[in-house]
Amino acid sequence: MEIFAKMGRKKPMHIIKAQELSREEDDSVKLSLFDLLCIGVGCTVGSGVFVLTGDVLTVAGPSAVVSWLLAGLVCLMSGFSYMELSSRVPTSGSTYAYSYFALGEAMAMIGAVCLTLEYGISAAGVARSWSSKLIETIESYTDADLDVLHFWYTDPDTADMDAYFDVLAVVVMGLSTVVLAFGLNMGKIVINLFTVAKVCLVAFMVIAGFAAWPSTGYGTEAYSSTDEFLPYGIGGMLLGTSKLFFGFIGFDEVACLAGRANNPRKTMPLAIGGTLLLATIISGLAQASLSGMIVPCDSHPDWNEQNPDAVQCSTSPSFADAFRLIGWSWAAAIVSFGEAILLPIVVLLAFIAQPEMMAAMAVDGMLPSIFAKENSKGNLTMGTIISGTAMSIIAGCVPFDILWDMISLGVLVSFCLTNSALICTRLSGPEGNNKITGCLIFIWAASFSGEYMLWKGYFEGYFDSGVDNSTLNDAVLYGAIALIAATLLVAIGMTFMFKEVEESKAETGRVFYAPLVPLLPVVGINLNFFLMAQISWINLAYLAIVIAVSLVWYLVYGIGHSAREFDDDMPALDHTNRSSQSSQARRSSQSSQARRSSRRQSQYLAESLKAHHKDEEINESTVELAEDLEPDSK
């Protein structure tokens, strides 16, 4: 059907290159490798160190240090895909751009929804989290009652979540919008300063934590034996890995800023890989320090009686709590107020990619052109204000628990899309391959089913101390393992059945190459679905509703305004007509179609550039830029 052919339309590489060149030639703000690392580290090193390091101790104990390393490796499975695609498709949009190039328009729209959850909605969620943290910190050191800043729309005594209008969350989200609306140059200065300050705070926490070991009466004992290091066994360490994976959310955000980067083909893989490496090292050191400072009461219920001269155990482990227990109230104050002061930068960091992604969609015709309009200084002012206003409303009204699970699901689906896009880029090429598509559909279906069976049908009960393990159904476990193994066998089979397409080979030596494709991307897809399975069904239903609404928007608006709508070089639409022609006539027809297609896309690109640079005049050479980059159009 014609509508399905349109939904599968892909964005040609020569258009992407034309947009890349137009970005290189303009005088808008550029991001260096240091800028991108500050954005990546600023996004990932935040709640992971301040919150998750304490939470994971009650699940994994000191072995949480290894959990951080394993979580970093899990992220790397998908990180490799981002590193290669960010150098192959060096344009703004991240998963949206990769999906549009390799999977088609409809999948690109789904990718855009997932990125909105990761960027804009994440910023709103962090704003609410910061508001609660600030109020808690101020109230713990003063007699102030700041609950008046929360306007409950349910009974606060019976509510099981933060069901209130949050004034402070709206304020910090609004301020982030204002900073970004003034331009990326101002934004990156603020981000770099706050990120350096945050790293300095974490360095203080780590150094002071190690220095406090002798005062705790615990210290090196945390690593003295297997029983101490693994109080909850290997299972606890693996469960900790699942929790800590979300401490790396944001590492891929730098990929959405490729259009603003200096030399993105070289810079982006370094920025993504560097972010993962630095986040793993910093978080791992913080975890090692905290593990020797504090004793969780859950794993050591008799600690206080058996060690009266040592530090008391804690029911809610954290750096601030650890410093208080050993009498270092000054250090606890530095940590508490430092976190409250620096956490707002995560709001700005999470939101910074949202206008860029929406601008990329507007350039492609998937959103109104106002989101792509830049002022004379190259700032996406209107798009920033519109999206920032929407996120401020969400930050004020929607409970954090709902936001967090939706964010996590969006991130994991976007990872799966990026892994799939890399497989298609390597093995399918721009024309597509139905066999590759069939393999990916099977991998998604089998992986989703297998991982949900593995967690919901077995591991969820296995890790629940209140469930008798003898009641677990081993048949469910074996069935899940069989499905997961089938996806890996298909990936291995694809390696031998399909060769890398010529378009991909042509980039050899110019782009970063991820190892073991398609096996590692399929491993990444399985790991992502396993983590998704740990989120409630109701939130999965919420995500399905959001995706359905976005597809309705696509069918009503995007499919008719898309730049690809002007491209009549679509094999799926004119296959019947061309098949009746002689080979010579077919070549002539294809050449003519390519010229018309390239010209239409060039004209659309020129209109998009006018939207980007409304105060500049677009000359004829710019109009023909995309056509010049397409060899078949000559």
Side-chain angles (χ1 to χ4, degrees), residues 355-481:
E356 291 289 331
M357 190 268 292
M358 298 181 79
M361 295 179 69
V363 167
D364 292 327
M366 307 288 272
L367 287 177
S369 61
I370 190 172
F371 288 97
K373 286 186 177 179
E374 295 181 345
N375 61 17
S376 58
K377 296 182 179 180
N379 301 327
L380 296 164
T381 305
M382 289 305 300
T384 300
I385 292 173
I386 294 171
S387 55
T389 301
M391 298 310 154
S392 296
I393 294 172
I394 293 173
C397 300
V398 183
F400 179 75
D401 288 346
I402 295 176
L403 291 178
W404 178 246
D405 284 342
M406 291 288 288
I407 292 164
S408 300
L409 286 170
V411 170
L412 292 168
V413 173
S414 69
F415 284 5
C416 290
L417 287 171
T418 300
N419 284 318
S420 301
L422 178 59
I423 294 173
C424 286
T425 299
R426 288 274 198 99
L427 303 181
S428 289
E431 297 300 321
N433 184 319
N434 289 335
K435 293 181 179 179
I436 298 291
T437 302
C439 288
L440 282 175
I441 291 174
F442 171 80
I443 288 170
W444 274 59
S447 177
F448 180 89
S449 302
E451 299 296 352
Y452 268 77
M453 287 172 60
L454 187 63
W455 179 259
K456 298 291 187 185
Y458 195 86
F459 279 160
E460 189 172 38
Y462 180 83
F463 288 124
D464 188 345
S465 58
V467 175
D468 183 359
N469 288 349
S470 63
T471 63
L472 299 176
N473 190 342
D474 289 341
V476 174
L477 175 63
Y478 298 144
I481 292 174

Side-chain angles (χ1 to χ4, degrees), residues 18 25 599 602 605-606 609 617-629:
E25 293 171 357
R599 184 64 181 178
S602 303
L605 175 61
L609 292 174
E617 184 176 344
I618 307 298
N619 57 34
E620 182 63 22
S621 62
T622 303
V623 174
E624 296 179 349
L625 179 58
E627 183 177 356
D628 293 339
L629 289 169

Side-chain angles (χ1 to χ4, degrees), residues 52 109 209 365 456 489 521 583 613:
L52 292 180
M109 178 58 72
K456 298 291 187 185
L489 289 174
S583 59
H613 308 283

Side-chain angles (χ1 to χ4, degrees), residues 39 79 151 219 244 289 376 385 409 432-433 480 516 525 548 565 576 627:
I39 291 171
F151 296 90
L244 294 180
S289 174
S376 58
I385 292 173
L409 286 170
N433 184 319
L516 298 177
I525 290 172
E565 181 69 13
T576 303
E627 183 177 356

